[in-house]
């Protein structure tokens, strides 16, 4: 069993949003350096790297080590899509406990806004899918893009449980409300339900405000052992427990669309941390689309299965709600950095470093999720404010 | 069609489509579609079916299977209506419906829903296969309602 001996001691993000001409590795280095500085460590302290970049960037950890002049006893790049970033912290914690490394940089970077702009067409990259199997079994039917994949799940959930478009709207509006108080958020203007409902239709039931943003940005954290963490500048954030689940049989099979891998990943994480959903003070969930936040609220047991829509519509995600969620604005509003900013936000909330208007009062436990890999891979962190 | 050709776009039955390049595993399936036959693999060891095509039974890993004609009937498990064109050749096509159909035999297929107003498409709707010859020697499956789909869709608008 994991002995809870790892802690996050540094956290940072790069410039976020529209960063013309940016490269993913450049943004990654910005965030990595800032996270190490935040931790009060020096380059020679870092002996581990677990990162991920855009899917077409080979060996991202090697690129980062080259830039920052680091060798590493433990390093790799991950391939679990949006679940990779929480998984990076899990692997770092295990590596530290096993003695493979003493201080591990975890991070993710993308330059999606710049890439889209450079291509001259917002659609250019989607005209042909990258995997032969997807080209064969999806493209032929006009099935392009990630919104459709998640929309298929949303539509099934709506038919099964009576979830409505308005319920999804409450996700978008709630998360945006948090973003209005985050000076780094890519979109900060308040979203009303009317504006949400009038949003440009994409693929039913999703409109533009159900979809996360195209972001240039990176996030990074530094993980080390708890004993060392106590000598560093910030209140340590203990990696109290974690879980993962990968429904590799696929998104369209079994009941994976309406009960996602978050369910089993969460059960493992709660057991690992020896806590229950009611103990969690704030959740930072992978909100690539509104529906994915809603279904995870259910899968993590913050409400009953099928009741996520009503629960969220009653204000559950707000700073004073039942479970303050995506308090930085999430991927729907702060910026889509594939779950890495969720880790960073969880750390900051547990350090109590925000002004009162953004701070979850007395936050002691945060749950962070990552989801991706053709929407079947999932990882969960349960983080605890240290002493 | 030739396996050496890259995927191409053909204009036929009203809409241009990306024509997939069949693989050694999928060629039999697409050839059957061209004959207006829907076939899936059934394991000769455990009797279960799977889709898309691959050389091992997903349940018992047997390599012994038989291509089996299926009823072509099923239920619409879920769907989405595309309101935005992801490729210039699809602009004329929207709105169109991509669905996941659960066949009576078990497996689920990604396909298109056709011969039905988008507002009338609903989850759980009984459907049956039809075939679209989109290019010389190449046919895609689609599904249409088996009953008059008069009841309004569930969130389908």
């Amino acid at each position: 069993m994991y002995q809870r001996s790892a802690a996050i001691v540094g956290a940072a993000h790069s410039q976020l949003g529209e960063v013309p001409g940016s490269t993913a590795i450049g943004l990654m280095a910005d965030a990595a350096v800032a996270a190490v500085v935040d931790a009060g460590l020096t380059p020679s302290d870092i002996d581990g790297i677990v990162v991920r970049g855009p899917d077409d960037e080979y060996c991202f950890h090697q690129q980062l080590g080259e830039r920052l002049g680091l060798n590493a006893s433990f390093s790799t790049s991950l391939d679990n899509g949006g679940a990779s970033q929480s998984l990076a912290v899990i692997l770092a914690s295990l590596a530290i406990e096993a003695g493979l490394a003493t201080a591990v940089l975890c991070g993710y970077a993308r330059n999606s806004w710049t890439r889209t702009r450079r291509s001259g067409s917002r659609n250019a990259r989607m005209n042909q899918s990258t995997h032969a199997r997807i080209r064969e079994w999806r493209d032929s039917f006009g099935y392009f893009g990630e919104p459709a994949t998640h929309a298929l799940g949303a539509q099934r959930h709506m038919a099964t449980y009576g979830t409505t478009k308005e319920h999804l709207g409450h996700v978008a509006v709630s998360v945006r409300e948090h973003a209005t108080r985050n000076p780094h958020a890519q979109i900060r203007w308040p979203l009303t339900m009317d504006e949400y409902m009038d949003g440009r239709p994409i693929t039913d039931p999703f409109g533009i405000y159900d979809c996360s943003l195209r972001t240039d940005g990176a996030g990074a954290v530094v993980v080390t052992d708890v004993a060392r963490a106590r000598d560093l500048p910030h209140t340590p954030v203990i990696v109290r427990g974690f879980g993962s689940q990968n429904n590799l049989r696929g998104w369209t099979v079994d009941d994976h669309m309406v009960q996602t891998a978050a369910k089993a990943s969460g059960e493992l994480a709660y057991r690992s941390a020896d806590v229950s959903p009611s103990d969690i003070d704030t959740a930072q969930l992978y909100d690539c689309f509104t529906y994915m936040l809603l279904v995870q609220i259910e899968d993590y047991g913050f409400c009953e299965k099928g009741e996520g829509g009503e629960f969220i519509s009653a204000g559950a995600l707000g700073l004073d709600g039942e479970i303050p969620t995506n308090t930085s604005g999430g991927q729907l509003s702060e910026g889509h950095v594939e779950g890495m900013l969720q880790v960073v936000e969880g750390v900051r909330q547990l350090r109590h470093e925000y002004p009162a208007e953004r701070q979850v009062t007395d936050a002691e436990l945060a749950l962070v999720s990552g989801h991706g890999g053709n929407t079947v891979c999932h990882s969960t962190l349960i983080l605890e404010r240290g002493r | 069609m030739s396996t050496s050709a890259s995927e191409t776009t053909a204009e036929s039955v009203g809409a241009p489509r990306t024509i997939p390049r069949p693989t050694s595993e999928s060629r039999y399936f697409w050839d059957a579609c061209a004959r207006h036959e829907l076939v899936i693999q059934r394991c000769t060891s455990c009797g279960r079916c799977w889709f898309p095509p691959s050389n091992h039974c997903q349940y018992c890993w047997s390599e012994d299977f038989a291509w089996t004609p299926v009823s072509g009937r099923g239920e619409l498990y879920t769907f989405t209506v595309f309101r935005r064109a992801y490729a210039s050749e699809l602009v004329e096509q929207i709105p169109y419906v991509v669905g996941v159909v659960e066949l009576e035999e078990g497996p689920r297929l990604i396909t298109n829903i056709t011969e039905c107003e988008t507002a009338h498409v609903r989850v759980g709707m009984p459907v049956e296969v039809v075939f679209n010859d989109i290019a010389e020697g190449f046919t895609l499956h689609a599904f249409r309602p088996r009953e008059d789909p008069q009841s309004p869709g569930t969130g389908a608008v």
Side-chain angles (χ1 to χ4, degrees):
Chain A
M1 284 294 284
Y2 169 64
Q3 300 298 312
R4 298 177 194 163
S5 55
I8 298 176
V9 294
H13 58 68
S14 70
Q15 201 180 338
L16 300 177
E18 300 177 1
V19 189
S22 60
T23 62
I25 191 65
L27 293 164
M28 185 71 258
D30 290 347
V33 167
V36 174
V37 168
D38 181 65
L41 294 171
T42 60
S44 61
D45 292 319
I46 302 300
D47 56 7
I49 299 177
V50 184
V51 291
R52 179 169 160 257
D55 291 337
D56 57 3
E57 295 252 8
Y58 176 67
C59 224
F60 206 60
H61 66 111
Q62 186 275 322
Q63 294 187 47
L64 184 64
E66 182 179 312
R67 281 204 171 221
L68 300 184
L70 297 175
N71 294 321
S73 53
F74 180 73
S75 75
T76 191
S77 305
L78 300 185
D79 189 26
N80 287 41
S84 304
Q85 288 54 255
S86 289
L87 185 61
V89 176
I90 296 174
L91 292 181
S93 301
L94 295 174
I96 286 162
E97 209 162 88
L100 285 172
T102 61
V104 182
L105 250 176
C106 301
Y108 172 80
R110 69 184 342 183
N111 59 336
S112 301
W113 183 85
T114 292
R115 283 174 179 231
T116 306
R117 193 175 166 85
R118 192 193 303 140
S119 73
S121 159
R122 139 191 311 269
N123 299 333
R125 214 166 57 84
M126 296 182 175
N127 284 351
Q128 195 170 60
S129 302
T130 47
H131 302 88
R133 203 160 161 92
I134 288 178
R135 282 205 301 277
E136 185 169 16
W137 302 108
R138 291 189 190 176
D139 289 15
S140 318
F141 301 97
Y143 172 174
F144 294 99
E146 284 307 302
T149 299
H150 298 83
L152 290 170
Q155 197 85 267
R156 180 71 192 177
H157 196 278
M158 292 165 107
T160 306
Y161 298 112
T163 302
T164 65
K165 174 83 175 164
E166 285 81 359
H167 289 151
L168 299 178
H170 280 288
V171 174
V173 169
S174 299
V175 169
R176 178 65 59 80
E177 203 271 332
H178 288 303
T180 61
R181 293 185 297 270
N182 176 0
H184 300 288
Q186 193 168 347
I187 301 188
R188 298 185 61 202
W189 49 270
L191 180 69
T192 67
M193 183 59 81
D194 284 346
E195 286 166 322
Y196 167 82
M197 295 299 283
D198 289 342
R200 183 161 59 88
I202 304 293
T203 180
D204 292 359
F206 292 163
I208 191 72
Y209 300 118
D210 292 287
C211 304
S212 49
L213 306 172
R214 286 180 195 277
T215 301
D216 297 329
V221 297
V222 179
V223 185
T224 189
D225 67 273
V226 169
R228 188 185 196 179
R230 295 207 170 94
D231 296 329
L232 295 172
H234 290 291
T235 303
V237 170
I238 314 295
V239 181
R240 183 178 168 104
F242 39 70
S244 71
Q245 170 68 22
N246 302 283
N247 286 343
L248 306 180
R249 276 171 40 71
W251 178 240
T252 61
V253 305
D254 304 327
D255 59 354
H256 294 168
M257 286 190 188
V258 295
Q259 179 171 290
T260 71
K263 173 78 173 167
S265 180
E267 284 169 356
L268 274 176
Y270 288 135
R271 196 181 320 151
S272 158
D274 194 23
V275 299
S276 65
S278 60
D279 296 321
I280 303 297
D281 299 305
T282 179
Q284 307 298 334
L285 303 180
Y286 195 90
D287 56 340
C288 47
F289 298 92
T290 50
Y291 169 64
M292 294 312 293
L293 191 153
L294 186 151
V295 73
Q296 287 177 67
I297 286 284
E298 297 175 355
D299 290 338
Y300 277 117
F302 297 124
C303 67
E304 294 297 316
K305 178 49 73 182
E307 295 177 5
E310 289 300 326
F311 182 71
I312 290 166
S313 300
L317 309 183
L319 209 55
D320 299 317
E322 292 264 321
I323 180 73
T325 298
N326 291 14
T327 45
S328 63
Q331 303 184 149
L332 293 165
S333 292
E334 181 188 36
H336 189 340
V337 185
E338 296 254 329
M340 197 61 221
L341 299 184
Q342 270 79 348
V343 182
V344 170
E345 176 67 6
V347 169
R348 289 174 173 170
Q349 286 291 352
L350 294 176
R351 285 178 177 177
H352 299 179
E353 68 178 37
Y354 283 129
E357 61 162 17
R358 281 186 72 186
Q359 179 64 46
V360 177
T361 308
D362 299 331
E364 295 288 322
L365 283 173
L367 184 148
V368 177
S369 81
H371 190 90
N374 297 319
T375 199
V376 302
C377 297
H378 199 97
S379 300
T380 310
L381 299 174
I382 294 179
L383 305 178
E384 179 182 22
R385 179 178 167 84
R387 297 282 172 252
Chain B
M1 68 178 283
S2 160
T3 49
S4 62
S6 302
E7 291 90 342
T8 53
T9 300
E11 190 134 13
S12 174
V13 291
R17 303 280 198 160
T18 302
I19 299 177
R21 183 196 318 184
T23 65
S24 59
E25 292 176 305
S26 67
R27 169 170 293 286
Y28 193 96
F29 176 86
W30 292 119
D31 285 350
C33 274
R35 300 191 304 270
H36 291 199
E37 242 187 283
L38 191 65
V39 296
I40 56 175
Q41 289 160 294
R42 185 186 296 278
C43 176
T44 47
S45 296
C46 76
R48 300 183 76 169
C49 300
W50 69 91
F51 186 86
S54 62
N55 286 341
H56 295 86
C57 170
Q58 288 180 4
Y59 302 94
C60 73
W61 294 7
S62 167
E63 294 177 8
D64 298 321
F65 60 83
W67 285 102
T68 311
V70 293
S71 63
R73 288 189 301 270
E75 276 190 3
L76 184 58
Y77 181 77
T78 189
F79 69 98
T80 184
V81 183
F82 273 75
R83 306 283 179 185
R84 171 190 159 194
Y86 279 79
S88 53
E89 64 268 25
L90 289 168
V91 169
E92 301 282 306
Q93 182 84 347
I94 53 172
Y96 62 92
V97 180
V98 169
V100 177
V101 166
E102 183 170 300
L103 296 173
E104 286 178 348
E105 291 78 7
R108 295 179 190 154
L109 283 76
I110 289 164
T111 187
N112 294 120
I113 302 302
T114 189
E115 299 175 40
C116 185
E117 292 288 324
T118 55
H120 292 159
V121 179
R122 60 178 175 80
V123 170
M125 179 169 88
V127 291
E128 64 188 6
V129 72
V130 294
F131 294 95
N132 288 331
D133 300 319
I134 62 163
E136 183 63 36
F138 200 86
T139 300
L140 287 177
H141 54 78
F143 285 72
R144 68 182 175 198
R146 260 192 285 152
E147 298 158 7
D148 188 15
Q150 276 315 304
S151 56
T154 42
V157 203

